[in-house]
Coordinates of all heavy atoms in Angstrom, one line a residue:
M297 N 10.1 -10.8 10.3 CA 10.4 -9.5 10.7 C 9.7 -9.2 12.1 O 8.5 -9.5 12.2 CB 10.0 -8.5 9.7 CG 10.3 -7.0 10.1 SD 9.6 -5.8 9.0 CE 10.3 -6.3 7.4
S298 N 10.4 -8.7 13.0 CA 9.8 -8.5 14.3 C 9.1 -7.1 14.3 O 9.5 -6.2 13.6 CB 11.0 -8.4 15.3 OG 10.7 -7.7 16.4
E299 N 7.9 -7.0 14.9 CA 7.1 -5.8 14.9 C 6.7 -5.5 16.3 O 6.6 -6.3 17.2 CB 5.9 -6.0 14.0 CG 6.4 -6.2 12.6 CD 5.2 -6.3 11.6 OE1 4.1 -6.8 12.1 OE2 5.3 -5.8 10.5
R300 N 6.3 -4.2 16.5 CA 5.8 -3.8 17.9 C 4.8 -2.8 17.7 O 4.8 -2.0 16.8 CB 7.0 -3.4 18.7 CG 7.6 -2.1 18.1 CD 9.0 -1.8 18.6 NE 9.6 -0.7 17.8 CZ 9.8 0.5 18.2 NH1 9.6 0.8 19.4 NH2 10.4 1.4 17.4
F301 N 3.8 -2.7 18.7 CA 2.9 -1.6 18.8 C 3.4 -0.5 19.7 O 4.0 -0.8 20.8 CB 1.6 -2.1 19.4 CG 0.6 -2.7 18.4 CD1 0.5 -4.1 18.2 CD2 -0.1 -1.9 17.5 CE1 -0.3 -4.6 17.3 CE2 -1.0 -2.4 16.6 CZ -1.1 -3.8 16.5
V302 N 3.3 0.7 19.3 CA 3.8 1.8 20.0 C 2.6 2.8 20.3 O 1.9 3.1 19.3 CB 4.9 2.6 19.3 CG1 5.4 3.8 20.0 CG2 6.1 1.6 19.0
R303 N 2.5 3.3 21.5 CA 1.5 4.3 21.8 C 1.9 5.6 21.1 O 3.0 6.1 21.3 CB 1.3 4.6 23.3 CG 0.3 5.6 23.6 CD 0.3 5.9 25.1 NE -0.6 7.0 25.3 CZ -0.3 8.3 25.0 NH1 0.8 8.6 24.5 NH2 -1.2 9.2 25.3
V304 N 1.0 6.2 20.3 CA 1.4 7.4 19.5 C 0.6 8.6 19.9 O 1.0 9.8 19.6 CB 1.3 7.1 18.0 CG1 2.3 6.1 17.5 CG2 -0.1 6.6 17.6
A305 N -0.6 8.4 20.4 CA -1.5 9.6 20.7 C -2.6 9.2 21.6 O -3.0 8.0 21.6 CB -2.0 10.2 19.4
R306 N -3.3 10.1 22.2 CA -4.6 9.9 22.8 C -5.6 10.1 21.7 O -5.4 11.0 20.8 CB -4.9 10.9 23.9 CG -4.0 10.7 25.2 CD -4.6 11.6 26.3 NE -5.1 12.8 25.9 CZ -4.5 14.0 25.8 NH1 -3.2 14.0 26.1 NH2 -5.1 15.1 25.4
C307 N -6.6 9.3 21.7 CA -7.6 9.4 20.6 C -8.3 10.8 20.5 O -8.6 11.3 19.5 CB -8.7 8.3 20.7 SG -8.0 6.7 20.4
D308 N -8.4 11.5 21.7 CA -9.0 12.8 21.7 C -8.1 13.9 21.1 O -8.5 15.0 20.9 CB -9.6 13.2 23.0 CG -8.5 13.2 24.1 OD1 -7.3 13.2 23.8 OD2 -8.9 13.4 25.3
E309 N -6.9 13.5 20.8 CA -6.0 14.5 20.1 C -6.2 14.5 18.6 O -5.8 15.4 17.9 CB -4.5 14.1 20.4 CG -4.1 14.2 21.8 CD -2.6 13.8 21.9 OE1 -2.4 12.6 22.2 OE2 -1.7 14.6 21.9
L310 N -6.8 13.4 18.1 CA -7.1 13.3 16.6 C -8.2 14.3 16.3 O -9.2 14.3 17.0 CB -7.4 11.9 16.2 CG -6.4 10.9 16.6 CD1 -6.9 9.5 16.3 CD2 -5.1 11.1 15.8
R311 N -8.0 15.1 15.2 CA -9.0 16.1 14.9 C -9.8 15.7 13.7 O -9.3 15.0 12.8 CB -8.3 17.4 14.7 CG -7.3 17.4 13.6 CD -6.4 18.7 13.6 NE -5.4 18.6 12.7 CZ -5.4 19.1 11.5 NH1 -6.4 19.9 11.1 NH2 -4.4 19.0 10.6
K312 N -11.1 16.0 13.7 CA -11.9 15.8 12.6 C -11.5 16.6 11.4 O -11.2 17.8 11.5 CB -13.4 16.1 12.9 CG -14.2 14.9 13.3 CD -15.7 15.2 13.2 CE -16.4 13.9 13.4 NZ -17.7 14.0 14.0
G313 N -11.5 16.0 10.2 CA -11.1 16.7 9.0 C -9.7 17.0 8.8 O -9.2 17.7 7.9
G314 N -8.8 16.4 9.6 CA -7.4 16.5 9.5 C -6.7 15.5 10.3 O -7.3 14.7 11.0
G315 N -5.4 15.5 10.2 CA -4.6 14.5 11.0 C -3.7 15.3 12.0 O -3.8 16.4 12.3
I316 N -2.8 14.5 12.6 CA -1.7 15.1 13.3 C -0.4 14.4 12.9 O -0.4 13.2 12.5 CB -1.9 14.9 14.9 CG1 -2.1 13.5 15.3 CG2 -3.0 15.8 15.3 CD1 -2.2 13.3 16.8
Q317 N 0.6 15.1 13.0 CA 1.9 14.6 12.5 C 2.8 14.4 13.8 O 2.8 15.2 14.7 CB 2.6 15.7 11.7 CG 4.0 15.3 11.1 CD 3.9 14.6 9.8 OE1 2.8 14.2 9.3 NE2 5.0 14.3 9.2
R318 N 3.4 13.2 13.9 CA 4.2 12.8 15.0 C 5.5 12.3 14.6 O 5.6 11.6 13.6 CB 3.5 11.8 15.9 CG 2.3 12.3 16.7 CD 2.8 13.1 17.9 NE 1.9 14.0 18.5 CZ 0.9 13.8 19.4 NH1 0.8 12.5 19.8 NH2 0.1 14.7 19.8
T319 N 6.5 12.5 15.4 CA 7.8 11.8 15.2 C 7.9 10.7 16.2 O 7.8 10.9 17.4 CB 9.0 12.8 15.4 OG1 8.8 13.9 14.6 CG2 10.3 12.2 15.2
I320 N 8.0 9.5 15.7 CA 8.1 8.3 16.6 C 9.4 7.6 16.2 O 9.6 7.1 15.2 CB 6.9 7.3 16.3 CG1 5.6 8.0 16.3 CG2 7.0 6.1 17.3 CD1 5.1 8.6 17.6
G321 N 10.3 7.7 17.2 CA 11.7 7.2 16.9 C 12.3 8.0 15.7 O 12.3 9.2 15.8
D322 N 12.6 7.3 14.7 CA 13.2 8.0 13.5 C 12.2 8.1 12.4 O 12.5 8.4 11.2 CB 14.5 7.3 13.0 CG 14.2 5.8 12.6 OD1 13.1 5.4 12.8 OD2 15.2 5.2 12.2
R323 N 10.9 7.9 12.7 CA 9.9 8.0 11.7 C 9.0 9.2 11.9 O 8.6 9.6 13.0 CB 8.9 6.8 11.7 CG 9.5 5.5 11.3 CD 8.4 4.4 11.5 NE 8.9 3.1 11.2 CZ 9.0 2.6 10.0 NH1 8.5 3.2 9.0 NH2 9.5 1.4 9.8
E324 N 8.5 9.8 10.8 CA 7.4 10.8 10.8 C 6.2 10.0 10.4 O 6.2 9.3 9.3 CB 7.7 11.9 9.8 CG 8.8 12.8 10.2 CD 8.4 13.7 11.3 OE1 7.3 14.2 11.4 OE2 9.3 13.9 12.2
V325 N 5.1 10.1 11.2 CA 3.9 9.5 10.8 C 2.7 10.5 10.9 O 2.7 11.4 11.6 CB 3.6 8.3 11.8 CG1 4.5 7.1 11.5 CG2 3.5 8.7 13.2
G326 N 1.7 10.2 10.0 CA 0.5 11.0 10.0 C -0.6 10.1 10.6 O -0.7 8.9 10.3
L327 N -1.3 10.7 11.6 CA -2.3 9.9 12.3 C -3.7 10.6 12.0 O -3.8 11.8 12.1 CB -2.1 9.9 13.8 CG -0.6 9.6 14.2 CD1 -0.4 9.8 15.7 CD2 -0.3 8.1 13.9
F328 N -4.7 9.7 11.8 CA -6.0 10.2 11.3 C -7.1 9.5 11.9 O -7.0 8.3 12.3 CB -6.1 10.1 9.8 CG -5.0 10.7 9.1 CD1 -3.8 10.0 8.8 CD2 -5.0 12.1 8.7 CE1 -2.8 10.6 8.1 CE2 -4.0 12.7 8.0 CZ -2.8 11.9 7.7
K329 N -8.3 10.1 12.0 CA -9.5 9.5 12.4 C -10.3 9.4 11.2 O -10.5 10.3 10.4 CB -10.2 10.4 13.4 CG -11.3 9.7 14.2 CD -11.8 10.7 15.3 CE -12.1 9.9 16.5 NZ -12.3 10.8 17.6
L330 N -10.8 8.2 10.9 CA -11.6 7.9 9.7 C -12.9 7.2 10.1 O -12.9 6.0 10.4 CB -10.8 7.0 8.7 CG -11.2 7.0 7.3 CD1 -11.3 8.4 6.7 CD2 -10.3 6.1 6.5
G331 N -14.0 8.0 10.3 CA -15.2 7.4 10.9 C -14.8 7.0 12.3 O -14.3 7.8 13.1
N332 N -15.1 5.8 12.7 CA -14.8 5.3 14.0 C -13.4 4.6 14.1 O -13.0 4.2 15.1 CB -15.8 4.3 14.5 CG -17.1 5.0 14.8 OD1 -17.2 6.1 15.2 ND2 -18.2 4.3 14.5
A333 N -12.7 4.6 12.9 CA -11.4 3.9 12.9 C -10.3 5.0 13.0 O -10.5 6.2 12.8 CB -11.3 3.2 11.6
V334 N -9.1 4.5 13.3 CA -7.9 5.4 13.3 C -6.9 4.8 12.3 O -6.9 3.6 12.1 CB -7.2 5.5 14.7 CG1 -8.1 6.2 15.6 CG2 -6.9 4.1 15.2
C335 N -6.2 5.7 11.6 CA -5.3 5.3 10.5 C -3.9 5.9 10.8 O -3.9 7.0 11.3 CB -5.8 5.8 9.1 SG -7.4 5.2 8.7
A336 N -2.9 5.2 10.3 CA -1.5 5.8 10.4 C -0.8 5.5 9.1 O -0.9 4.4 8.6 CB -0.8 5.1 11.6
I337 N -0.2 6.5 8.5 CA 0.5 6.4 7.3 C 1.9 7.1 7.5 O 2.1 7.9 8.4 CB -0.2 7.0 6.1 CG1 -0.4 8.5 6.2 CG2 -1.5 6.3 5.9 CD1 -0.9 9.2 5.0
D338 N 2.8 6.8 6.6 CA 4.1 7.5 6.5 C 3.8 9.0 6.4 O 3.0 9.4 5.6 CB 4.8 7.0 5.3 CG 6.3 7.5 5.3 OD1 6.6 8.3 6.1 OD2 7.0 7.2 4.3
G339 N 4.4 9.8 7.3 CA 4.1 11.2 7.3 C 4.8 12.1 6.4 O 4.6 13.3 6.3
I340 N 5.7 11.5 5.5 CA 6.5 12.3 4.6 C 6.0 12.0 3.2 O 6.0 10.9 2.7 CB 8.0 11.8 4.7 CG1 8.5 12.0 6.1 CG2 8.8 12.6 3.7 CD1 8.5 13.5 6.5
C341 N 5.5 13.0 2.5 CA 5.0 12.9 1.2 C 6.2 12.6 0.2 O 7.2 13.2 0.3 CB 4.4 14.3 0.7 SG 3.8 14.3 -0.9
P342 N 5.9 11.6 -0.7 CA 7.0 11.2 -1.6 C 7.3 12.3 -2.7 O 8.3 12.1 -3.4 CB 6.5 9.9 -2.2 CG 5.0 9.9 -2.0 CD 4.8 10.8 -0.8
H343 N 6.5 13.3 -2.8 CA 6.8 14.3 -3.8 C 8.0 15.1 -3.4 O 9.1 14.8 -3.9 CB 5.6 15.2 -4.0 CG 5.8 16.3 -5.0 ND1 5.1 17.5 -4.9 CD2 6.5 16.4 -6.1 CE1 5.5 18.3 -5.9 NE2 6.3 17.6 -6.7
V344 N 7.9 16.0 -2.4 CA 9.1 16.7 -1.9 C 9.0 16.9 -0.4 O 9.5 17.8 0.2 CB 9.3 18.1 -2.6 CG1 9.8 17.9 -4.0 CG2 8.1 19.0 -2.5
G345 N 8.4 15.9 0.3 CA 8.5 15.8 1.7 C 7.5 16.5 2.6 O 7.7 16.8 3.8
G346 N 6.4 16.9 2.0 CA 5.3 17.6 2.8 C 4.9 16.7 4.0 O 4.9 15.5 3.9
P347 N 4.5 17.4 5.1 CA 4.0 16.6 6.3 C 2.6 16.2 6.1 O 1.6 17.0 6.3 CB 4.2 17.6 7.4 CG 4.0 19.0 6.7 CD 4.5 18.8 5.3
L348 N 2.4 14.9 5.7 CA 1.0 14.5 5.4 C 0.0 14.6 6.6 O -1.2 14.8 6.5 CB 1.0 13.1 4.9 CG 1.7 12.9 3.5 CD1 1.7 11.5 3.1 CD2 1.0 13.8 2.5
G349 N 0.6 14.4 7.8 CA -0.3 14.6 9.0 C -0.9 15.9 9.2 O -1.8 16.1 9.9
D350 N -0.4 16.9 8.5 CA -0.9 18.3 8.6 C -1.9 18.6 7.4 O -2.3 19.7 7.3 CB 0.2 19.3 8.5 CG 1.1 19.2 9.8 OD1 0.7 18.7 10.8 OD2 2.3 19.7 9.7
G351 N -2.2 17.6 6.6 CA -3.1 17.8 5.5 C -4.5 17.8 5.9 O -4.9 17.5 7.0
I352 N -5.3 18.1 4.9 CA -6.8 18.1 5.0 C -7.3 16.8 4.6 O -6.9 16.2 3.6 CB -7.4 19.2 4.1 CG1 -6.9 20.6 4.5 CG2 -8.9 19.2 4.2 CD1 -7.2 21.1 5.9
V353 N -8.3 16.3 5.4 CA -8.9 14.9 5.1 C -10.3 15.1 4.5 O -11.1 15.9 5.0 CB -8.9 14.1 6.3 CG1 -9.7 12.8 6.1 CG2 -7.5 13.8 6.9
E354 N -10.5 14.5 3.4 CA -11.8 14.4 2.8 C -12.0 13.1 2.1 O -11.1 12.6 1.4 CB -12.0 15.5 1.7 CG -12.3 16.9 2.2 CD -12.5 17.9 1.0 OE1 -12.6 17.5 -0.1 OE2 -12.4 19.1 1.3
N355 N -13.2 12.5 2.3 CA -13.6 11.2 1.6 C -12.5 10.2 1.7 O -12.2 9.5 0.7 CB -13.9 11.5 0.2 CG -15.1 12.5 0.1 OD1 -16.0 12.4 0.9 ND2 -15.1 13.3 -0.9
G356 N -11.9 10.0 2.9 CA -10.9 8.9 3.1 C -9.6 9.2 2.5 O -8.7 8.3 2.4
K357 N -9.3 10.4 2.1 CA -8.0 10.8 1.5 C -7.4 12.0 2.3 O -8.2 12.8 2.8 CB -8.1 11.2 0.1 CG -8.6 10.2 -0.9 CD -8.8 10.7 -2.2 CE -10.1 11.4 -2.2 NZ -11.1 11.1 -3.2
V358 N -6.1 12.0 2.4 CA -5.5 13.2 2.9 C -4.8 13.9 1.8 O -4.1 13.3 1.0 CB -4.5 12.9 4.1 CG1 -3.3 12.0 3.6 CG2 -3.9 14.2 4.7
Y359 N -5.0 15.2 1.8 CA -4.4 16.1 0.7 C -3.1 16.7 1.3 O -3.2 17.4 2.3 CB -5.3 17.2 0.3 CG -6.5 16.6 -0.5 CD1 -7.6 16.0 0.1 CD2 -6.5 16.6 -1.9 CE1 -8.6 15.4 -0.6 CE2 -7.5 16.0 -2.6 CZ -8.6 15.4 -2.0 OH -9.6 14.9 -2.7
C360 N -2.0 16.4 0.7 CA -0.7 17.0 1.2 C -0.8 18.5 1.3 O -1.3 19.2 0.4 CB 0.4 16.6 0.2 SG 2.0 17.2 0.7
P361 N -0.3 19.0 2.4 CA -0.5 20.5 2.6 C 0.4 21.3 1.7 O 0.2 22.5 1.6 CB -0.1 20.7 4.1 CG 0.8 19.5 4.4 CD 0.3 18.4 3.6
L362 N 1.4 20.7 1.0 CA 2.3 21.5 0.2 C 1.7 21.7 -1.2 O 1.6 22.8 -1.7 CB 3.7 21.0 0.1 CG 4.5 21.0 1.4 CD1 5.9 20.7 1.2 CD2 4.3 22.3 2.2
H363 N 1.4 20.6 -1.9 CA 0.9 20.8 -3.3 C -0.4 20.0 -3.6 O -0.8 19.9 -4.7 CB 2.0 20.3 -4.3 CG 3.4 20.9 -4.0 ND1 4.3 20.2 -3.3 CD2 3.8 22.2 -4.2 CE1 5.4 21.0 -3.2 NE2 5.1 22.2 -3.7
G364 N -1.0 19.4 -2.5 CA -2.3 18.8 -2.7 C -2.4 17.4 -3.3 O -3.5 17.0 -3.6
W365 N -1.3 16.7 -3.4 CA -1.5 15.3 -3.8 C -2.4 14.6 -2.8 O -2.2 14.6 -1.6 CB -0.1 14.6 -3.9 CG 0.7 15.0 -5.0 CD1 0.6 16.1 -5.9 CD2 1.9 14.3 -5.5 NE1 1.6 16.1 -6.8 CE2 2.4 15.0 -6.6 CE3 2.6 13.2 -5.1 CZ2 3.6 14.6 -7.3 CZ3 3.7 12.8 -5.7 CH2 4.2 13.5 -6.8
P366 N -3.4 13.8 -3.3 CA -4.3 13.1 -2.4 C -3.8 11.6 -2.2 O -3.5 10.9 -3.2 CB -5.6 13.1 -3.2 CG -5.2 13.2 -4.7 CD -3.8 13.8 -4.7
F367 N -3.7 11.2 -1.0 CA -3.3 9.8 -0.6 C -4.5 9.2 0.1 O -5.1 9.7 1.1 CB -2.1 9.9 0.3 CG -0.9 10.4 -0.4 CD1 -0.6 11.7 -0.4 CD2 0.0 9.5 -1.0 CE1 0.5 12.2 -1.1 CE2 1.1 10.0 -1.7 CZ 1.4 11.3 -1.7
D368 N -4.8 8.0 -0.4 CA -5.8 7.1 0.3 C -5.3 6.7 1.7 O -4.2 6.1 1.8 CB -6.1 5.9 -0.6 CG -7.3 5.1 -0.1 OD1 -7.2 4.6 1.0 OD2 -8.3 5.1 -0.8
L369 N -6.1 6.9 2.7 CA -5.7 6.6 4.1 C -5.7 5.1 4.3 O -5.1 4.7 5.3 CB -6.6 7.3 5.1 CG -6.4 8.9 5.1 CD1 -7.4 9.5 6.1 CD2 -5.0 9.2 5.5
R370 N -6.4 4.3 3.5 CA -6.4 2.9 3.8 C -5.3 2.1 3.0 O -4.9 1.1 3.4 CB -7.8 2.3 3.5 CG -8.8 2.8 4.5 CD -10.0 1.9 4.4 NE -10.9 2.2 5.5 CZ -11.9 3.1 5.5 NH1 -12.0 3.9 4.4 NH2 -12.6 3.3 6.5
T371 N -4.9 2.7 1.9 CA -3.9 2.0 1.0 C -2.6 2.7 0.9 O -1.6 2.1 0.5 CB -4.5 1.8 -0.4 OG1 -4.6 3.1 -1.0 CG2 -5.9 1.1 -0.4
G372 N -2.6 4.0 1.1 CA -1.4 4.8 1.0 C -1.2 5.3 -0.5 O -0.2 6.0 -0.8
Q373 N -2.0 4.8 -1.4 CA -1.8 5.1 -2.8 C -2.2 6.6 -3.1 O -3.2 7.1 -2.6 CB -2.7 4.2 -3.7 CG -2.5 4.4 -5.2 CD -1.1 4.1 -5.6 OE1 -0.6 3.0 -5.4 NE2 -0.5 5.1 -6.3
C374 N -1.4 7.3 -3.9 CA -1.7 8.6 -4.4 C -2.6 8.5 -5.6 O -2.4 7.7 -6.5 CB -0.4 9.3 -4.8 SG -0.7 11.0 -5.5
E375 N -3.7 9.2 -5.6 CA -4.7 9.1 -6.6 C -4.3 9.8 -7.9 O -4.8 9.5 -9.0 CB -6.0 9.7 -6.2 CG -6.7 8.8 -5.2 CD -8.2 9.1 -5.0 OE1 -8.6 10.2 -5.5 OE2 -8.9 8.3 -4.4
T376 N -3.4 10.8 -7.8 CA -3.0 11.5 -9.0 C -1.7 11.1 -9.6 O -1.4 11.5 -10.7 CB -3.0 13.0 -8.8 OG1 -2.1 13.3 -7.7 CG2 -4.4 13.5 -8.4
N377 N -0.9 10.3 -8.9 CA 0.4 9.8 -9.4 C 0.5 8.4 -9.0 O 0.8 8.0 -7.9 CB 1.5 10.6 -8.7 CG 2.9 10.2 -9.2 OD1 3.0 9.1 -9.8 ND2 3.9 11.0 -9.0
P378 N 0.3 7.5 -10.0 CA 0.3 6.1 -9.7 C 1.6 5.5 -9.2 O 1.7 4.4 -8.7 CB -0.1 5.4 -11.1 CG 0.0 6.5 -12.1 CD 0.0 7.8 -11.4
N379 N 2.7 6.3 -9.4 CA 4.0 5.9 -8.9 C 4.3 6.3 -7.5 O 5.4 6.0 -6.9 CB 5.1 6.4 -9.8 CG 5.0 5.8 -11.2 OD1 4.7 4.7 -11.4 ND2 5.1 6.7 -12.2
A380 N 3.3 7.0 -6.9 CA 3.6 7.6 -5.5 C 2.7 6.8 -4.5 O 1.5 6.7 -4.7 CB 3.3 9.1 -5.5
K381 N 3.3 6.3 -3.5 CA 2.6 5.5 -2.5 C 3.3 5.7 -1.2 O 4.6 5.8 -1.2 CB 2.5 4.1 -2.9 CG 1.6 3.3 -2.0 CD 1.4 1.8 -2.5 CE 0.4 1.1 -1.6 NZ 0.2 -0.3 -2.0
V382 N 2.6 5.7 -0.1 CA 3.2 5.8 1.3 C 2.8 4.5 2.0 O 1.8 3.9 1.8 CB 2.8 7.1 2.0 CG1 3.4 8.3 1.4 CG2 1.3 7.2 2.3
D383 N 3.7 4.2 3.0 CA 3.4 3.0 3.9 C 2.2 3.3 4.7 O 2.0 4.4 5.2 CB 4.6 2.7 4.8 CG 5.8 2.2 4.0 OD1 5.5 1.5 2.9 OD2 6.9 2.3 4.5
C384 N 1.4 2.3 5.0 CA 0.3 2.3 5.9 C 0.6 1.3 7.1 O 1.3 0.3 6.9 CB -1.0 1.8 5.3 SG -1.6 2.8 4.0
F385 N 0.2 1.7 8.3 CA 0.6 0.9 9.4 C -0.7 0.4 10.1 O -1.7 1.1 10.2 CB 1.4 1.7 10.4 CG 2.7 2.3 9.8 CD1 2.7 3.6 9.5 CD2 3.7 1.5 9.5 CE1 3.8 4.2 8.9 CE2 4.9 2.0 8.9 CZ 4.9 3.3 8.6
E386 N -0.6 -0.8 10.7 CA -1.7 -1.3 11.5 C -1.9 -0.5 12.8 O -0.9 -0.1 13.4 CB -1.4 -2.8 11.9 CG -2.5 -3.5 12.6 CD -2.2 -4.9 12.9 OE1 -1.1 -5.5 12.4 OE2 -2.9 -5.5 13.7
T387 N -3.1 -0.3 13.2 CA -3.4 0.5 14.3 C -4.3 -0.3 15.3 O -5.0 -1.2 14.9 CB -4.1 1.8 14.0 OG1 -5.3 1.6 13.3 CG2 -3.2 2.7 13.1
K388 N -4.4 0.2 16.5 CA -5.4 -0.3 17.5 C -5.6 0.8 18.5 O -4.8 1.7 18.7 CB -4.9 -1.6 18.1 CG -3.8 -1.5 19.1 CD -3.5 -2.9 19.7 CE -2.3 -2.8 20.7 NZ -2.0 -4.0 21.4
V389 N -6.8 0.7 19.1 CA -7.1 1.6 20.2 C -7.3 0.8 21.5 O -8.0 -0.2 21.5 CB -8.4 2.4 19.8 CG1 -8.9 3.2 21.0 CG2 -8.2 3.3 18.6
E390 N -6.7 1.3 22.6 CA -6.9 0.7 23.9 C -7.0 1.8 24.9 O -6.2 2.7 25.0 CB -5.8 -0.2 24.3 CG -5.8 -1.6 23.6 CD -4.6 -2.5 24.0 OE1 -3.8 -2.1 24.9 OE2 -4.5 -3.5 23.4
D391 N -8.1 1.8 25.7 CA -8.2 2.8 26.8 C -8.1 4.2 26.3 O -7.4 5.0 27.0 CB -7.2 2.5 27.9 CG -7.4 1.1 28.5 OD1 -8.6 0.7 28.6 OD2 -6.5 0.5 29.0
G392 N -8.6 4.5 25.1 CA -8.6 5.9 24.6 C -7.2 6.3 24.1 O -7.0 7.4 23.8
N393 N -6.3 5.3 23.9 CA -5.0 5.6 23.3 C -4.9 4.9 22.0 O -5.4 3.8 21.8 CB -3.9 5.1 24.3 CG -3.8 5.9 25.5 OD1 -3.6 7.1 25.5 ND2 -4.0 5.3 26.7
M394 N -4.2 5.6 21.1 CA -3.9 5.0 19.7 C -2.5 4.4 19.7 O -1.6 5.0 20.1 CB -4.0 6.1 18.7 CG -3.8 5.6 17.3 SD -3.9 7.0 16.1 CE -3.5 6.1 14.6
F395 N -2.5 3.2 19.2 CA -1.2 2.5 19.0 C -1.0 2.1 17.6 O -1.9 1.9 16.8 CB -1.2 1.1 19.8 CG -1.3 1.3 21.3 CD1 -2.5 1.6 21.9 CD2 -0.1 1.2 22.1 CE1 -2.6 1.7 23.3 CE2 -0.2 1.4 23.4 CZ -1.4 1.7 24.1
V396 N 0.3 2.2 17.1 CA 0.6 1.8 15.8 C 1.7 0.8 15.8 O 2.6 0.8 16.6 CB 1.2 3.1 15.0 CG1 1.7 2.7 13.7 CG2 0.1 4.2 14.9
R397 N 1.5 -0.2 14.9 CA 2.5 -1.3 14.8 C 3.5 -0.9 13.7 O 3.2 -0.8 12.5 CB 1.7 -2.6 14.4 CG 2.6 -3.8 14.4 CD 1.7 -5.0 14.0 NE 2.2 -6.2 14.6 CZ 1.6 -7.3 14.5 NH1 0.5 -7.4 13.8 NH2 2.1 -8.4 15.0
F398 N 4.7 -0.8 14.1 CA 5.8 -0.5 13.2 C 6.7 -1.7 13.0 O 7.0 -2.4 14.0 CB 6.7 0.6 13.8 CG 6.0 1.9 13.9 CD1 5.7 2.4 15.2 CD2 5.7 2.7 12.8 CE1 5.1 3.7 15.3 CE2 5.0 3.9 12.9 CZ 4.7 4.4 14.2
P399 N 7.2 -1.9 11.8 CA 8.3 -2.9 11.6 C 9.5 -2.4 12.4 O 9.8 -1.2 12.4 CB 8.6 -2.9 10.1 CG 7.6 -2.0 9.5 CD 6.9 -1.2 10.5
K400 N 10.2 -3.3 13.1 CA 11.4 -2.9 13.9 C 12.6 -2.6 13.0 O 12.7 -3.1 11.9 CB 11.8 -4.0 14.8 CG 11.2 -3.7 16.2 CD 11.9 -4.5 17.2 CE 11.5 -4.0 18.6 NZ 11.9 -4.9 19.7
Ligands
FES653 S1 5.2 17.7 -1.1 FE1 3.3 16.6 -1.1 S2 2.4 17.1 -3.0 FE2 4.3 18.2 -3.0

């Protein structure tokens, strides 16, 4: 499968304690700062579509802003529903910009 890195944000746009939601092509993604790392996950909650990038971040998890399901930012796994998981994407930082690798 062919993949590509896409610039998605400036690192200084990422906020502590929360994420940002972006539309990249036909995808919604949630972008987060986790310590010194940056994370990107599918931005659509599998419950009923809450924007995960607008959620609150605590202890490496984002809590969906609609009903509070917690998703691990490194694995995408929901902690309260074992059948719910979102995609996680590889990220990198260059010159203060955040890039995400999406499958084409
Ligand atoms: S839409 Fe995310 S927990 Fe309900």
Side-chain angles (χ1 to χ4, degrees):
M297 180 186 306
S298 154
E299 296 181 327
R300 64 195 169 114
F301 276 100
V302 176
R303 182 190 171 283
V304 291
R306 291 191 325 270
C307 290
D308 61 10
E309 294 178 272
L310 301 173
R311 56 192 175 102
K312 262 200 169 147
I316 55 176
Q317 183 87 354
R318 285 283 158 87
T319 304
I320 310 293
D322 59 357
R323 286 179 188 274
E324 288 288 320
V325 291
L327 311 173
F328 305 89
K329 197 172 218 171
L330 196 56
N332 291 326
V334 292
C335 303
I337 65 172
D338 186 357
I340 302 295
C341 179
H343 181 210
V344 288
L348 292 177
D350 293 339
I352 301 294
V353 174
E354 275 181 19
N355 299 324
K357 294 173 284 236
V358 60
Y359 290 81
C360 179
L362 295 193
H363 311 102
W365 286 13
F367 293 87
D368 188 296
L369 289 174
R370 290 197 170 87
T371 66
Q373 182 64 52
C374 178
E375 286 198 348
T376 55
N377 182 341
N379 296 318
K381 189 174 183 185
V382 293
D383 288 334
C384 296
F385 304 104
E386 185 180 348
T387 60
K388 68 178 181 178
V389 172
E390 282 181 7
D391 299 327
N393 292 300
M394 178 180 179
F395 294 81
V396 175
R397 188 180 207 174
F398 295 109
K400 263 195 169 174

